[in-house]
């Protein structure tokens, strides 16, 4: 059975898409980021939690503050990317549940009244949304360079607050010269899928 999505779109989103390590200086506009969000917001999360929060780092001052928290090997990439996004999980996502999950408004307190429960749910579901975000960037014809090589606690203190847990930093833009490392191997179907 073949996929319904045409082969060119499959290549754009998966087969030919790579983590970019260099970028051109072409700007990434607010309109492009909005288009990415307006697509990926439809990706599923448990009880429609939607805990992902995106902090766009645009100003030179903010970029300088961000680069200090990146691992040494990631600093030059982050300094040169046209746009950088800090993706985080909102541990107070439950405040939006009466709007996002209206057929069970009591979920806000009945299910997510305790902070540890919220943190666990937010981490999983924001990670799902982070993956959607990367695919959305690719769908916009841009390249993404997601990274977790950074001081997460430093990022939280510098850019977020105690209610947000940073997940990753994503460099965004058009791929530059020598943007791609050789593709690493992938596991085959038989190594991953078990039928019981």
């Amino acid at each position: 059975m073949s996929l319904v999505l045409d082969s060119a779109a499959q290549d754009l989103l998966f087969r030919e898409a790579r983590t970019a390590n260099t970028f051109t200086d072409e700007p990434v506009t607010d309109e492009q980021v909005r288009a990415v969000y307006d697509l990926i917001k439809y990706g599923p999360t448990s009880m429609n939690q939607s805990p992902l929060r995106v902090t766009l780092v645009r100003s030179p001052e903010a970029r300088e503050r961000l680069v200090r928290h990146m691992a040494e090997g990631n600093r030059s990439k982050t300094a040169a990317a046209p746009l950088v996004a800090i993706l985080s999980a909102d541990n107070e996502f439950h405040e939006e549940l009466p709007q996002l999950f209206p057929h069970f408004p009591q979920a806000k307190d009945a299910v997510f009244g305790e902070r540890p429960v919220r943190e666990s749910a937010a981490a999983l579901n924001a990670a799902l949304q982070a993956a959607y975000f990367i695919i959305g960037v690719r769908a916009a014809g841009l390249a993404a360079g997601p990274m977790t090589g950074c001081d997460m606690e430093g990022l939280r203190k510098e850019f977020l607050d105690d209610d947000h847990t940073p997940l990753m930093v994503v460099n965004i833009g058009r791929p530059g010269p020598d943007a791609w490392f050789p593709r690493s191997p992938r596991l085959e179907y038989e190594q991953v899928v078990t039928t019981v």
Side-chain angles (χ1 to χ4, degrees):
M1 177 178 168
S2 63
L3 300 174
V4 173
L5 193 66
D6 73 61
S7 185
Q10 294 172 41
D11 288 345
L12 177 70
L13 300 178
F14 294 99
R15 285 192 290 260
E16 299 299 323
R18 309 288 284 285
T19 296
N21 293 287
T22 68
F23 297 90
T24 69
D25 58 2
E26 181 180 333
V28 176
T29 67
D30 289 336
E31 292 77 17
Q32 287 171 302
V33 177
R34 180 176 292 278
V36 168
Y37 178 74
D38 284 343
L39 175 65
I40 66 110
K41 69 184 179 185
Y42 295 108
T45 58
S46 177
M47 297 177 76
N48 203 30
Q49 292 170 24
S50 305
L52 181 72
R53 301 297 179 261
V54 181
T55 303
L56 299 178
V57 181
R58 286 202 181 273
S59 74
E61 299 79 23
R63 183 72 61 98
E64 189 176 308
R65 289 168 36 221
L66 172 60
V67 167
R68 286 196 309 258
H69 297 288
M70 302 305 295
E72 183 66 36
N74 293 332
R75 288 181 182 164
S76 61
K77 294 185 273 191
T78 299
L83 180 63
V84 182
I86 301 169
L87 304 187
S88 64
D90 182 357
N91 296 308
E92 297 299 311
F93 69 87
H94 70 311
E95 296 294 342
E96 307 296 337
L97 281 182
Q99 172 192 341
L100 295 174
F101 206 60
H103 52 283
F104 183 27
Q106 304 89 335
K108 174 183 178 285
D109 298 312
V111 179
F112 298 108
E114 299 293 325
R115 176 72 179 233
V117 173
R118 290 196 304 275
E119 288 178 353
S120 176
L124 171 62
N125 287 281
L128 283 173
Q129 288 186 287
Y132 305 149
F133 183 86
I134 293 165
I135 300 301
V137 167
R138 293 172 175 180
L142 300 168
M147 299 174 296
T148 56
C150 54
D151 174 6
M152 293 293 185
E153 183 59 18
L155 282 182
R156 188 191 61 73
K157 289 179 179 176
E158 188 84 38
F159 293 97
L160 306 170
D161 59 32
D162 289 340
D163 291 331
H164 293 80
T165 303
L167 302 172
M168 67 181 67
V169 171
V170 183
N171 296 330
I172 304 168
R174 301 265 180 217
D178 301 316
W180 321 118
F181 293 149
R183 185 179 290 285
S184 297
R186 298 297 193 265
L187 295 175
E188 295 301 324
Y189 180 88
E190 294 76 17
Q191 295 174 278
V192 174
V193 177
T194 303
T195 302
V196 293

